PDB file of all heavy atoms in Angstrom:
ATOM      1  N   PRO M   1       0.859  10.508  -2.673  1.00 82.00           N
ATOM      2  CA  PRO M   1       2.256  10.793  -2.272  1.00 82.00           C
ATOM      3  C   PRO M   1       3.014   9.697  -1.698  1.00 82.00           C
ATOM      4  O   PRO M   1       2.370   8.581  -1.376  1.00 82.00           O
ATOM      5  CB  PRO M   1       2.020  11.798  -1.133  1.00 82.00           C
ATOM      6  CG  PRO M   1       0.658  11.665  -0.694  1.00 82.00           C
ATOM      7  CD  PRO M   1      -0.135  11.058  -1.706  1.00 82.00           C
ATOM      8  N   ARG M   2       4.348   9.693  -1.793  1.00 78.00           N
ATOM      9  CA  ARG M   2       5.161   8.514  -1.374  1.00 78.00           C
ATOM     10  C   ARG M   2       5.635   8.763   0.107  1.00 78.00           C
ATOM     11  O   ARG M   2       5.675   9.892   0.480  1.00 78.00           O
ATOM     12  CB  ARG M   2       6.360   8.468  -2.224  1.00 78.00           C
ATOM     13  CG  ARG M   2       5.968   8.064  -3.666  1.00 78.00           C
ATOM     14  CD  ARG M   2       7.166   8.198  -4.539  1.00 78.00           C
ATOM     15  NE  ARG M   2       8.291   7.425  -4.095  1.00 78.00           N
ATOM     16  CZ  ARG M   2       9.408   7.262  -4.749  1.00 78.00           C
ATOM     17  NH1 ARG M   2       9.569   7.859  -5.951  1.00 78.00           N
ATOM     18  NH2 ARG M   2      10.420   6.635  -4.289  1.00 78.00           N
ATOM     19  N   ARG M   3       5.984   7.768   0.801  1.00 73.00           N
ATOM     20  CA  ARG M   3       6.608   7.768   2.104  1.00 73.00           C
ATOM     21  C   ARG M   3       5.685   8.476   3.087  1.00 73.00           C
ATOM     22  O   ARG M   3       6.165   9.372   3.800  1.00 73.00           O
ATOM     23  CB  ARG M   3       7.955   8.368   1.992  1.00 73.00           C
ATOM     24  CG  ARG M   3       8.916   7.513   1.091  1.00 73.00           C
ATOM     25  CD  ARG M   3      10.243   8.189   0.930  1.00 73.00           C
ATOM     26  NE  ARG M   3      11.048   7.470   0.114  1.00 73.00           N
ATOM     27  CZ  ARG M   3      11.230   7.619  -1.187  1.00 73.00           C
ATOM     28  NH1 ARG M   3      10.544   8.597  -1.753  1.00 73.00           N
ATOM     29  NH2 ARG M   3      12.037   6.849  -1.983  1.00 73.00           N
ATOM     30  N   ILE M   4       4.473   8.189   3.106  1.00 73.00           N
ATOM     31  CA  ILE M   4       3.544   8.790   4.110  1.00 73.00           C
ATOM     32  C   ILE M   4       3.084   7.679   5.072  1.00 73.00           C
ATOM     33  O   ILE M   4       2.765   6.551   4.672  1.00 73.00           O
ATOM     34  CB  ILE M   4       2.322   9.403   3.423  1.00 73.00           C
ATOM     35  CG1 ILE M   4       2.715  10.429   2.378  1.00 73.00           C
ATOM     36  CG2 ILE M   4       1.298   9.953   4.416  1.00 73.00           C
ATOM     37  CD1 ILE M   4       3.367  11.735   2.938  1.00 73.00           C
ATOM     38  N   PHE M   5       3.101   8.035   6.319  1.00 65.00           N
ATOM     39  CA  PHE M   5       2.776   6.923   7.319  1.00 65.00           C
ATOM     40  C   PHE M   5       1.307   6.429   7.295  1.00 65.00           C
ATOM     41  O   PHE M   5       1.050   5.320   7.483  1.00 65.00           O
ATOM     42  CB  PHE M   5       3.176   7.458   8.739  1.00 65.00           C
ATOM     43  CG  PHE M   5       2.875   6.449   9.821  1.00 65.00           C
ATOM     44  CD1 PHE M   5       3.631   5.285   9.858  1.00 65.00           C
ATOM     45  CD2 PHE M   5       1.937   6.640  10.736  1.00 65.00           C
ATOM     46  CE1 PHE M   5       3.404   4.349  10.886  1.00 65.00           C
ATOM     47  CE2 PHE M   5       1.664   5.752  11.661  1.00 65.00           C
ATOM     48  CZ  PHE M   5       2.407   4.585  11.800  1.00 65.00           C
ATOM     49  N   THR M   6       0.380   7.346   7.122  1.00 71.00           N
ATOM     50  CA  THR M   6      -1.078   7.105   7.160  1.00 71.00           C
ATOM     51  C   THR M   6      -1.539   6.670   5.872  1.00 71.00           C
ATOM     52  O   THR M   6      -1.117   7.136   4.766  1.00 71.00           O
ATOM     53  CB  THR M   6      -1.850   8.290   7.806  1.00 71.00           C
ATOM     54  OG1 THR M   6      -3.189   7.906   7.863  1.00 71.00           O
ATOM     55  CG2 THR M   6      -1.680   9.498   6.959  1.00 71.00           C
ATOM     56  N   ASP M   7      -2.701   5.970   5.817  1.00 67.00           N
ATOM     57  CA  ASP M   7      -3.279   5.628   4.624  1.00 67.00           C
ATOM     58  C   ASP M   7      -4.694   6.274   4.469  1.00 67.00           C
ATOM     59  O   ASP M   7      -5.300   6.168   3.597  1.00 67.00           O
ATOM     60  CB  ASP M   7      -3.455   4.086   4.480  1.00 67.00           C
ATOM     61  CG  ASP M   7      -4.362   3.472   5.379  1.00 67.00           C
ATOM     62  OD1 ASP M   7      -4.628   4.102   6.414  1.00 67.00           O
ATOM     63  OD2 ASP M   7      -4.797   2.328   5.139  1.00 67.00           O
ATOM     64  N   SER M   8      -5.093   7.031   5.549  1.00 74.00           N
ATOM     65  CA  SER M   8      -6.417   7.741   5.452  1.00 74.00           C
ATOM     66  C   SER M   8      -6.240   9.062   4.973  1.00 74.00           C
ATOM     67  O   SER M   8      -7.335   9.566   4.453  1.00 74.00           O
ATOM     68  CB  SER M   8      -7.008   7.773   6.874  1.00 74.00           C
ATOM     69  OG  SER M   8      -6.231   8.611   7.709  1.00 74.00           O
ATOM     70  N   TYR M   9      -5.192   9.699   5.033  1.00 77.00           N
ATOM     71  CA  TYR M   9      -4.957  11.073   4.477  1.00 77.00           C
ATOM     72  C   TYR M   9      -6.060  12.008   4.955  1.00 77.00           C
ATOM     73  O   TYR M   9      -6.702  12.779   4.192  1.00 77.00           O
ATOM     74  CB  TYR M   9      -4.958  11.064   3.012  1.00 77.00           C
ATOM     75  CG  TYR M   9      -3.768  10.263   2.469  1.00 77.00           C
ATOM     76  CD1 TYR M   9      -3.961   8.955   1.961  1.00 77.00           C
ATOM     77  CD2 TYR M   9      -2.524  10.787   2.353  1.00 77.00           C
ATOM     78  CE1 TYR M   9      -2.888   8.190   1.538  1.00 77.00           C
ATOM     79  CE2 TYR M   9      -1.431  10.015   1.898  1.00 77.00           C
ATOM     80  CZ  TYR M   9      -1.666   8.734   1.477  1.00 77.00           C
ATOM     81  OH  TYR M   9      -0.638   7.989   1.102  1.00 77.00           O
ATOM     82  N   ASN M  10      -6.445  11.963   6.286  1.00 78.00           N
ATOM     83  CA  ASN M  10      -7.309  12.798   6.915  1.00 78.00           C
ATOM     84  C   ASN M  10      -8.758  12.683   6.257  1.00 78.00           C
ATOM     85  O   ASN M  10      -9.403  13.691   6.107  1.00 78.00           O
ATOM     86  CB  ASN M  10      -6.850  14.203   7.038  1.00 78.00           C
ATOM     87  CG  ASN M  10      -5.683  14.329   7.931  1.00 78.00           C
ATOM     88  OD1 ASN M  10      -5.489  13.562   8.956  1.00 78.00           O
ATOM     89  ND2 ASN M  10      -4.731  15.321   7.638  1.00 78.00           N
ATOM     90  N   GLY M  11      -9.044  11.506   5.748  1.00 79.00           N
ATOM     91  CA  GLY M  11     -10.383  11.356   5.113  1.00 79.00           C
ATOM     92  C   GLY M  11     -10.644  11.912   3.757  1.00 79.00           C
ATOM     93  O   GLY M  11     -11.678  12.133   3.344  1.00 79.00           O
ATOM     94  N   ALA M  12      -9.491  12.206   3.055  1.00 80.00           N
ATOM     95  CA  ALA M  12      -9.588  12.779   1.675  1.00 80.00           C
ATOM     96  C   ALA M  12     -10.289  11.823   0.775  1.00 80.00           C
ATOM     97  O   ALA M  12     -10.007  10.697   0.818  1.00 80.00           O
ATOM     98  CB  ALA M  12      -8.190  13.184   1.141  1.00 80.00           C
ATOM     99  N   PRO M  13     -11.252  12.348  -0.052  1.00 82.00           N
ATOM    100  CA  PRO M  13     -11.934  11.408  -0.901  1.00 82.00           C
ATOM    101  C   PRO M  13     -11.044  10.686  -1.924  1.00 82.00           C
ATOM    102  O   PRO M  13     -11.298   9.563  -2.219  1.00 82.00           O
ATOM    103  CB  PRO M  13     -12.891  12.390  -1.714  1.00 82.00           C
ATOM    104  CG  PRO M  13     -12.640  13.715  -1.283  1.00 82.00           C
ATOM    105  CD  PRO M  13     -11.644  13.737  -0.128  1.00 82.00           C
ATOM    106  N   GLN M  14      -9.939  11.258  -2.342  1.00 81.00           N
ATOM    107  CA  GLN M  14      -9.016  10.716  -3.229  1.00 81.00           C
ATOM    108  C   GLN M  14      -8.410   9.437  -2.650  1.00 81.00           C
ATOM    109  O   GLN M  14      -8.098   8.521  -3.244  1.00 81.00           O
ATOM    110  CB  GLN M  14      -7.973  11.749  -3.718  1.00 81.00           C
ATOM    111  CG  GLN M  14      -7.047  11.203  -4.719  1.00 81.00           C
ATOM    112  CD  GLN M  14      -7.675  10.820  -6.106  1.00 81.00           C
ATOM    113  OE1 GLN M  14      -8.634  11.477  -6.486  1.00 81.00           O
ATOM    114  NE2 GLN M  14      -7.076   9.939  -6.804  1.00 81.00           N
ATOM    115  N   ALA M  15      -8.199   9.533  -1.360  1.00 82.00           N
ATOM    116  CA  ALA M  15      -7.529   8.440  -0.601  1.00 82.00           C
ATOM    117  C   ALA M  15      -8.317   7.189  -0.630  1.00 82.00           C
ATOM    118  O   ALA M  15      -7.854   6.071  -0.591  1.00 82.00           O
ATOM    119  CB  ALA M  15      -7.202   8.857   0.795  1.00 82.00           C
ATOM    120  N   GLN M  16      -9.733   7.310  -0.667  1.00 83.00           N
ATOM    121  CA  GLN M  16     -10.555   6.118  -0.716  1.00 83.00           C
ATOM    122  C   GLN M  16     -10.293   5.367  -2.055  1.00 83.00           C
ATOM    123  O   GLN M  16     -10.312   4.095  -2.085  1.00 83.00           O
ATOM    124  CB  GLN M  16     -12.013   6.560  -0.760  1.00 83.00           C
ATOM    125  CG  GLN M  16     -12.377   7.372   0.440  1.00 83.00           C
ATOM    126  CD  GLN M  16     -12.172   6.540   1.671  1.00 83.00           C
ATOM    127  OE1 GLN M  16     -12.452   5.283   1.732  1.00 83.00           O
ATOM    128  NE2 GLN M  16     -11.734   7.128   2.783  1.00 83.00           N
ATOM    129  N   ILE M  17      -9.981   6.011  -3.166  1.00 84.00           N
ATOM    130  CA  ILE M  17      -9.647   5.322  -4.418  1.00 84.00           C
ATOM    131  C   ILE M  17      -8.345   4.588  -4.298  1.00 84.00           C
ATOM    132  O   ILE M  17      -8.127   3.546  -4.832  1.00 84.00           O
ATOM    133  CB  ILE M  17      -9.607   6.353  -5.550  1.00 84.00           C
ATOM    134  CG1 ILE M  17     -10.961   6.988  -5.709  1.00 84.00           C
ATOM    135  CG2 ILE M  17      -9.130   5.653  -6.856  1.00 84.00           C
ATOM    136  CD1 ILE M  17     -10.943   8.184  -6.724  1.00 84.00           C
ATOM    137  N   TRP M  18      -7.309   5.107  -3.522  1.00 85.00           N
ATOM    138  CA  TRP M  18      -6.050   4.599  -3.489  1.00 85.00           C
ATOM    139  C   TRP M  18      -6.069   3.345  -2.548  1.00 85.00           C
ATOM    140  O   TRP M  18      -5.128   2.521  -2.747  1.00 85.00           O
ATOM    141  CB  TRP M  18      -5.016   5.590  -2.863  1.00 85.00           C
ATOM    142  CG  TRP M  18      -4.908   6.867  -3.647  1.00 85.00           C
ATOM    143  CD1 TRP M  18      -5.106   7.000  -4.965  1.00 85.00           C
ATOM    144  CD2 TRP M  18      -4.455   8.121  -3.095  1.00 85.00           C
ATOM    145  NE1 TRP M  18      -4.817   8.259  -5.298  1.00 85.00           N
ATOM    146  CE2 TRP M  18      -4.464   9.029  -4.141  1.00 85.00           C
ATOM    147  CE3 TRP M  18      -4.191   8.555  -1.837  1.00 85.00           C
ATOM    148  CZ2 TRP M  18      -4.117  10.326  -4.055  1.00 85.00           C
ATOM    149  CZ3 TRP M  18      -3.814   9.840  -1.736  1.00 85.00           C
ATOM    150  CH2 TRP M  18      -3.795  10.779  -2.812  1.00 85.00           C
ATOM    151  N   GLN M  19      -6.879   3.288  -1.578  1.00 84.00           N
ATOM    152  CA  GLN M  19      -6.807   2.312  -0.614  1.00 84.00           C
ATOM    153  C   GLN M  19      -6.983   0.855  -1.150  1.00 84.00           C
ATOM    154  O   GLN M  19      -6.282  -0.125  -0.748  1.00 84.00           O
ATOM    155  CB  GLN M  19      -7.948   2.412   0.512  1.00 84.00           C
ATOM    156  CG  GLN M  19      -7.505   3.485   1.499  1.00 84.00           C
ATOM    157  CD  GLN M  19      -8.512   3.745   2.575  1.00 84.00           C
ATOM    158  OE1 GLN M  19      -9.677   3.221   2.498  1.00 84.00           O
ATOM    159  NE2 GLN M  19      -8.170   4.466   3.661  1.00 84.00           N
ATOM    160  N   GLY M  20      -7.875   0.617  -2.064  1.00 87.00           N
ATOM    161  CA  GLY M  20      -7.987  -0.745  -2.689  1.00 87.00           C
ATOM    162  C   GLY M  20      -6.722  -1.107  -3.424  1.00 87.00           C
ATOM    163  O   GLY M  20      -6.289  -2.268  -3.328  1.00 87.00           O
ATOM    164  N   LEU M  21      -6.133  -0.175  -4.170  1.00 89.00           N
ATOM    165  CA  LEU M  21      -4.905  -0.383  -4.898  1.00 89.00           C
ATOM    166  C   LEU M  21      -3.732  -0.630  -3.925  1.00 89.00           C
ATOM    167  O   LEU M  21      -2.857  -1.526  -4.254  1.00 89.00           O
ATOM    168  CB  LEU M  21      -4.513   0.818  -5.955  1.00 89.00           C
ATOM    169  CG  LEU M  21      -5.618   0.926  -7.071  1.00 89.00           C
ATOM    170  CD1 LEU M  21      -5.435   2.222  -7.766  1.00 89.00           C
ATOM    171  CD2 LEU M  21      -5.534  -0.195  -7.941  1.00 89.00           C
ATOM    172  N   THR M  22      -3.653   0.116  -2.870  1.00 87.00           N
ATOM    173  CA  THR M  22      -2.560  -0.105  -1.986  1.00 87.00           C
ATOM    174  C   THR M  22      -2.683  -1.541  -1.280  1.00 87.00           C
ATOM    175  O   THR M  22      -1.656  -2.119  -0.915  1.00 87.00           O
ATOM    176  CB  THR M  22      -2.434   0.950  -0.916  1.00 87.00           C
ATOM    177  OG1 THR M  22      -3.730   0.993  -0.201  1.00 87.00           O
ATOM    178  CG2 THR M  22      -2.085   2.272  -1.502  1.00 87.00           C
ATOM    179  N   ARG M  23      -3.855  -2.021  -1.191  1.00 90.00           N
ATOM    180  CA  ARG M  23      -3.998  -3.450  -0.727  1.00 90.00           C
ATOM    181  C   ARG M  23      -3.452  -4.411  -1.627  1.00 90.00           C
ATOM    182  O   ARG M  23      -2.797  -5.349  -1.294  1.00 90.00           O
ATOM    183  CB  ARG M  23      -5.482  -3.669  -0.391  1.00 90.00           C
ATOM    184  CG  ARG M  23      -5.995  -3.021   0.811  1.00 90.00           C
ATOM    185  CD  ARG M  23      -7.446  -3.430   1.201  1.00 90.00           C
ATOM    186  NE  ARG M  23      -7.845  -2.623   2.369  1.00 90.00           N
ATOM    187  CZ  ARG M  23      -8.760  -1.735   2.276  1.00 90.00           C
ATOM    188  NH1 ARG M  23      -9.427  -1.529   1.136  1.00 90.00           N
ATOM    189  NH2 ARG M  23      -9.105  -0.986   3.339  1.00 90.00           N
ATOM    190  N   VAL M  24      -3.629  -4.165  -2.945  1.00 93.00           N
ATOM    191  CA  VAL M  24      -3.001  -4.997  -3.962  1.00 93.00           C
ATOM    192  C   VAL M  24      -1.487  -4.932  -3.818  1.00 93.00           C
ATOM    193  O   VAL M  24      -0.825  -5.925  -4.054  1.00 93.00           O
ATOM    194  CB  VAL M  24      -3.603  -4.670  -5.426  1.00 93.00           C
ATOM    195  CG1 VAL M  24      -2.796  -5.446  -6.463  1.00 93.00           C
ATOM    196  CG2 VAL M  24      -5.040  -4.865  -5.520  1.00 93.00           C
ATOM    197  N   SER M  25      -0.988  -3.744  -3.729  1.00 90.00           N
ATOM    198  CA  SER M  25       0.407  -3.520  -3.611  1.00 90.00           C
ATOM    199  C   SER M  25       0.995  -4.384  -2.325  1.00 90.00           C
ATOM    200  O   SER M  25       1.979  -4.935  -2.459  1.00 90.00           O
ATOM    201  CB  SER M  25       0.830  -2.078  -3.424  1.00 90.00           C
ATOM    202  OG  SER M  25       2.123  -1.842  -3.244  1.00 90.00           O
ATOM    203  N   ALA M  26       0.217  -4.245  -1.285  1.00 91.00           N
ATOM    204  CA  ALA M  26       0.620  -5.012  -0.038  1.00 91.00           C
ATOM    205  C   ALA M  26       0.560  -6.490  -0.341  1.00 91.00           C
ATOM    206  O   ALA M  26       1.458  -7.264   0.232  1.00 91.00           O
ATOM    207  CB  ALA M  26      -0.317  -4.655   1.052  1.00 91.00           C
ATOM    208  N   LEU M  27      -0.386  -6.983  -1.045  1.00 95.00           N
ATOM    209  CA  LEU M  27      -0.399  -8.395  -1.462  1.00 95.00           C
ATOM    210  C   LEU M  27       0.909  -8.700  -2.235  1.00 95.00           C
ATOM    211  O   LEU M  27       1.492  -9.846  -2.043  1.00 95.00           O
ATOM    212  CB  LEU M  27      -1.651  -8.687  -2.236  1.00 95.00           C
ATOM    213  CG  LEU M  27      -1.708 -10.117  -2.854  1.00 95.00           C
ATOM    214  CD1 LEU M  27      -1.750 -11.141  -1.726  1.00 95.00           C
ATOM    215  CD2 LEU M  27      -2.860 -10.228  -3.835  1.00 95.00           C
ATOM    216  N   GLY M  28       1.348  -7.790  -3.153  1.00 94.00           N
ATOM    217  CA  GLY M  28       2.530  -8.055  -3.899  1.00 94.00           C
ATOM    218  C   GLY M  28       3.712  -8.142  -2.925  1.00 94.00           C
ATOM    219  O   GLY M  28       4.703  -8.965  -3.124  1.00 94.00           O
ATOM    220  N   GLY M  29       3.693  -7.391  -1.875  1.00 93.00           N
ATOM    221  CA  GLY M  29       4.816  -7.369  -0.904  1.00 93.00           C
ATOM    222  C   GLY M  29       4.776  -8.705  -0.126  1.00 93.00           C
ATOM    223  O   GLY M  29       5.866  -9.358   0.116  1.00 93.00           O
ATOM    224  N   VAL M  30       3.664  -9.297   0.124  1.00 96.00           N
ATOM    225  CA  VAL M  30       3.517 -10.553   0.715  1.00 96.00           C
ATOM    226  C   VAL M  30       4.099 -11.623  -0.152  1.00 96.00           C
ATOM    227  O   VAL M  30       4.832 -12.566   0.236  1.00 96.00           O
ATOM    228  CB  VAL M  30       2.073 -10.842   1.197  1.00 96.00           C
ATOM    229  CG1 VAL M  30       1.938 -12.333   1.660  1.00 96.00           C
ATOM    230  CG2 VAL M  30       1.686  -9.915   2.303  1.00 96.00           C
ATOM    231  N   VAL M  31       3.727 -11.598  -1.445  1.00 97.00           N
ATOM    232  CA  VAL M  31       4.204 -12.565  -2.504  1.00 97.00           C
ATOM    233  C   VAL M  31       5.724 -12.517  -2.549  1.00 97.00           C
ATOM    234  O   VAL M  31       6.436 -13.432  -2.583  1.00 97.00           O
ATOM    235  CB  VAL M  31       3.515 -12.326  -3.721  1.00 97.00           C
ATOM    236  CG1 VAL M  31       4.140 -13.263  -4.839  1.00 97.00           C
ATOM    237  CG2 VAL M  31       1.982 -12.608  -3.718  1.00 97.00           C
ATOM    238  N   LEU M  32       6.265 -11.264  -2.614  1.00 95.00           N
ATOM    239  CA  LEU M  32       7.697 -11.095  -2.619  1.00 95.00           C
ATOM    240  C   LEU M  32       8.426 -11.696  -1.384  1.00 95.00           C
ATOM    241  O   LEU M  32       9.455 -12.383  -1.476  1.00 95.00           O
ATOM    242  CB  LEU M  32       8.079  -9.613  -2.669  1.00 95.00           C
ATOM    243  CG  LEU M  32       7.921  -8.993  -4.065  1.00 95.00           C
ATOM    244  CD1 LEU M  32       7.973  -7.493  -3.935  1.00 95.00           C
ATOM    245  CD2 LEU M  32       8.816  -9.533  -5.075  1.00 95.00           C
ATOM    246  N   PHE M  33       7.786 -11.514  -0.186  1.00 96.00           N
ATOM    247  CA  PHE M  33       8.292 -12.117   1.005  1.00 96.00           C
ATOM    248  C   PHE M  33       8.373 -13.490   0.972  1.00 96.00           C
ATOM    249  O   PHE M  33       9.344 -14.291   1.306  1.00 96.00           O
ATOM    250  CB  PHE M  33       7.544 -11.541   2.216  1.00 96.00           C
ATOM    251  CG  PHE M  33       8.166 -12.030   3.534  1.00 96.00           C
ATOM    252  CD1 PHE M  33       9.201 -11.273   4.011  1.00 96.00           C
ATOM    253  CD2 PHE M  33       7.618 -12.970   4.280  1.00 96.00           C
ATOM    254  CE1 PHE M  33       9.772 -11.620   5.233  1.00 96.00           C
ATOM    255  CE2 PHE M  33       8.118 -13.355   5.469  1.00 96.00           C
ATOM    256  CZ  PHE M  33       9.247 -12.728   5.924  1.00 96.00           C
ATOM    257  N   ALA M  34       7.188 -14.156   0.510  1.00 97.00           N
ATOM    258  CA  ALA M  34       7.161 -15.620   0.389  1.00 97.00           C
ATOM    259  C   ALA M  34       8.213 -16.145  -0.648  1.00 97.00           C
ATOM    260  O   ALA M  34       8.895 -17.121  -0.406  1.00 97.00           O
ATOM    261  CB  ALA M  34       5.754 -16.006  -0.054  1.00 97.00           C
ATOM    262  N   SER M  35       8.334 -15.505  -1.764  1.00 97.00           N
ATOM    263  CA  SER M  35       9.349 -15.861  -2.735  1.00 97.00           C
ATOM    264  C   SER M  35      10.806 -15.739  -2.146  1.00 97.00           C
ATOM    265  O   SER M  35      11.568 -16.683  -2.403  1.00 97.00           O
ATOM    266  CB  SER M  35       9.273 -15.006  -4.026  1.00 97.00           C
ATOM    267  OG  SER M  35      10.245 -15.290  -4.930  1.00 97.00           O
ATOM    268  N   ALA M  36      11.069 -14.696  -1.386  1.00 96.00           N
ATOM    269  CA  ALA M  36      12.434 -14.590  -0.750  1.00 96.00           C
ATOM    270  C   ALA M  36      12.565 -15.754   0.206  1.00 96.00           C
ATOM    271  O   ALA M  36      13.712 -16.280   0.280  1.00 96.00           O
ATOM    272  CB  ALA M  36      12.485 -13.239  -0.059  1.00 96.00           C
ATOM    273  N   GLY M  37      11.564 -16.149   0.882  1.00 97.00           N
ATOM    274  CA  GLY M  37      11.708 -17.231   1.915  1.00 97.00           C
ATOM    275  C   GLY M  37      11.992 -18.584   1.138  1.00 97.00           C
ATOM    276  O   GLY M  37      12.837 -19.323   1.545  1.00 97.00           O
ATOM    277  N   LEU M  38      11.269 -18.700  -0.044  1.00 97.00           N
ATOM    278  CA  LEU M  38      11.650 -19.965  -0.818  1.00 97.00           C
ATOM    279  C   LEU M  38      12.940 -19.977  -1.329  1.00 97.00           C
ATOM    280  O   LEU M  38      13.739 -21.012  -1.341  1.00 97.00           O
ATOM    281  CB  LEU M  38      10.664 -20.067  -1.980  1.00 97.00           C
ATOM    282  CG  LEU M  38       9.174 -20.225  -1.665  1.00 97.00           C
ATOM    283  CD1 LEU M  38       8.318 -20.261  -2.992  1.00 97.00           C
ATOM    284  CD2 LEU M  38       8.947 -21.490  -0.910  1.00 97.00           C
ATOM    285  N   PHE M  39      13.509 -18.822  -1.677  1.00 97.00           N
ATOM    286  CA  PHE M  39      14.896 -18.730  -2.161  1.00 97.00           C
ATOM    287  C   PHE M  39      15.859 -19.130  -1.108  1.00 97.00           C
ATOM    288  O   PHE M  39      16.831 -19.862  -1.326  1.00 97.00           O
ATOM    289  CB  PHE M  39      15.224 -17.196  -2.683  1.00 97.00           C
ATOM    290  CG  PHE M  39      16.596 -17.064  -3.044  1.00 97.00           C
ATOM    291  CD1 PHE M  39      17.126 -17.542  -4.107  1.00 97.00           C
ATOM    292  CD2 PHE M  39      17.486 -16.341  -2.213  1.00 97.00           C
ATOM    293  CE1 PHE M  39      18.554 -17.356  -4.531  1.00 97.00           C
ATOM    294  CE2 PHE M  39      18.798 -16.077  -2.466  1.00 97.00           C
ATOM    295  CZ  PHE M  39      19.296 -16.625  -3.660  1.00 97.00           C
TER     296      PHE M  39
END
């Protein structure tokens, strides 16, 4: 789901699969922030 505050989803097994991918998304956010800083 979108716009949810927690990343654990009350220990749901499906959330374990999402956690690694959301870390990649967070890395993308860091890269975007760095690029905006360079701009």
Side-chain angles (χ1 to χ4, degrees):
R2 295 171 52 175
R3 299 177 182 94
I4 303 293
F5 180 69
T6 180
D7 65 345
S8 66
Y9 298 98
N10 293 327
Q14 182 67 24
Q16 300 300 320
I17 298 170
W18 302 332
Q19 283 182 347
L21 292 171
T22 54
R23 287 187 185 112
V24 174
S25 178
L27 174 65
V30 170
V31 172
L32 285 168
F33 186 77
S35 177
L38 294 179
F39 174 73

